[in-house]
């Protein structure tokens, strides 16, 4: 080390009053990937450590999503659809490894694409077979981001027309 360089040891001199925001002075485009209307997909097929790393990148503005599928390092097919993953979901599941760091893992974070698709199909079937009034209520609640269980409980507690309007107006 040179004589002018100071070494800083110990804790920081003060605690920050608010967390650093990477987009504090940038105008946000809600329609871009990562915006309010098109959020990032869930991080799946990785261990907890790798998931935390990807979430950190998203939180602090370092995340770069893939523009086209990447090549899997095991099967050499272009099947990797998530950023920072090195293995496709098929290879990672077959070998029981993390898709990012390729380490042996007992517990993989996130749901598989087949589970998500099965859940979407079941929900679409439920919406298709529901009455028009119930279907519109379910779709409205899904668009708001509420869970599926809440609309069913709210349907039973709907009030009648006599409760909404005064008797003199009827």
């Amino acid at each position: 080390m040179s004589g002018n360089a100071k070494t800083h040891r110990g804790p920081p001199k003060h605690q920050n009053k608010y967390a650093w925001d990477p987009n504090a002075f940038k105008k946000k485009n809600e329609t871009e990937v990562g915006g309010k209307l098109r959020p990032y997909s869930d991080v799946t097929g990785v261990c907890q450590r790798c998931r935390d790393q990807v979430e950190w990148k998203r939180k602090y503005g370092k995340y770069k999503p893939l523009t086209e599928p990447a090549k899997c390092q095991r099967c050499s097919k272009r099947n990797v659809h998530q950023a920072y993953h090195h293995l496709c979901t098929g290879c990672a599941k077959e070998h029981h490894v993390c898709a990012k760091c390729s380490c042996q893992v007992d517990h993989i974070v996130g749901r598989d694409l087949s589970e998500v698709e099965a859940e979407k199909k079941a929900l679409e079937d439920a919406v298709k077979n529901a009455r028009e009034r119930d279907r519109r209520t379910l779709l409205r609640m899904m668009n708001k981001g509420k869970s599926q269980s809440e609309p069913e409980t709210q349907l039973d507690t709907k009030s009648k027309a006599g409760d909404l309007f005064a008797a003199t107006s009827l």
Side-chain angles (χ1 to χ4, degrees), residues 2-31:
S2 64
N4 293 341
K6 292 185 178 182
T7 59
H8 182 73
R9 293 187 183 190
K13 293 199 176 195
H14 61 84
Q15 179 67 37
N16 292 338
K17 291 188 171 126
Y18 55 89
W20 181 74
D21 184 15
N23 300 320
F25 302 107
K26 295 178 185 173
K27 189 170 183 176
K28 294 181 183 177
N29 186 355
E30 304 299 335
T31 59

Side-chain angles (χ1 to χ4, degrees), residues 26 31 74 83 111 114 123:
K26 295 178 185 173
T31 59
R74 295 242 172 143
R111 298 185 303 173
S114 60
L123 185 61

Side-chain angles (χ1 to χ4, degrees), residues 66-72 77-82:
L66 286 177
T67 55
E68 61 182 31
K71 191 181 280 189
C72 175
K77 294 179 184 172
R78 290 204 171 268
N79 284 343
V80 181
H81 298 287
Q82 293 190 16

Side-chain angles (χ1 to χ4, degrees), residues 17-125:
K17 291 188 171 126
Y18 55 89
W20 181 74
D21 184 15
N23 300 320
F25 302 107
K26 295 178 185 173
K27 189 170 183 176
K28 294 181 183 177
N29 186 355
E30 304 299 335
T31 59
E32 285 183 358
V33 176
K36 218 181 242 185
L37 300 177
R38 291 179 59 195
Y40 292 126
S41 61
D42 292 334
V43 181
T44 58
V46 294
C47 59
Q48 185 62 42
R49 179 173 178 264
C50 292
R51 181 177 185 273
D52 293 341
Q53 289 175 358
V54 174
E55 290 298 327
W56 183 91
K57 285 178 182 282
R58 287 181 176 181
K59 183 177 179 183
Y60 291 106
K62 306 291 183 182
Y63 184 77
K64 301 282 190 268
L66 286 177
T67 55
E68 61 182 31
K71 191 181 280 189
C72 175
Q73 291 182 351
R74 295 242 172 143
C75 65
S76 300
K77 294 179 184 172
R78 290 204 171 268
N79 284 343
V80 181
H81 298 287
Q82 293 190 16
Y84 304 102
H85 286 46
H86 302 293
L87 302 176
C88 62
T89 54
C91 291
K93 191 182 261 188
E94 180 184 334
H95 297 287
H96 302 290
V97 294
C98 171
K100 183 177 180 291
C101 65
S102 300
C103 63
Q104 290 285 340
V105 184
D106 294 333
H107 179 67
I108 299 287
V109 176
R111 298 185 303 173
D112 192 15
L113 287 174
S114 60
E115 294 175 11
V116 172
E117 288 175 3
E119 183 179 313
K120 281 184 181 178
K121 187 173 182 180
L123 185 61
E124 287 175 3
D125 289 342

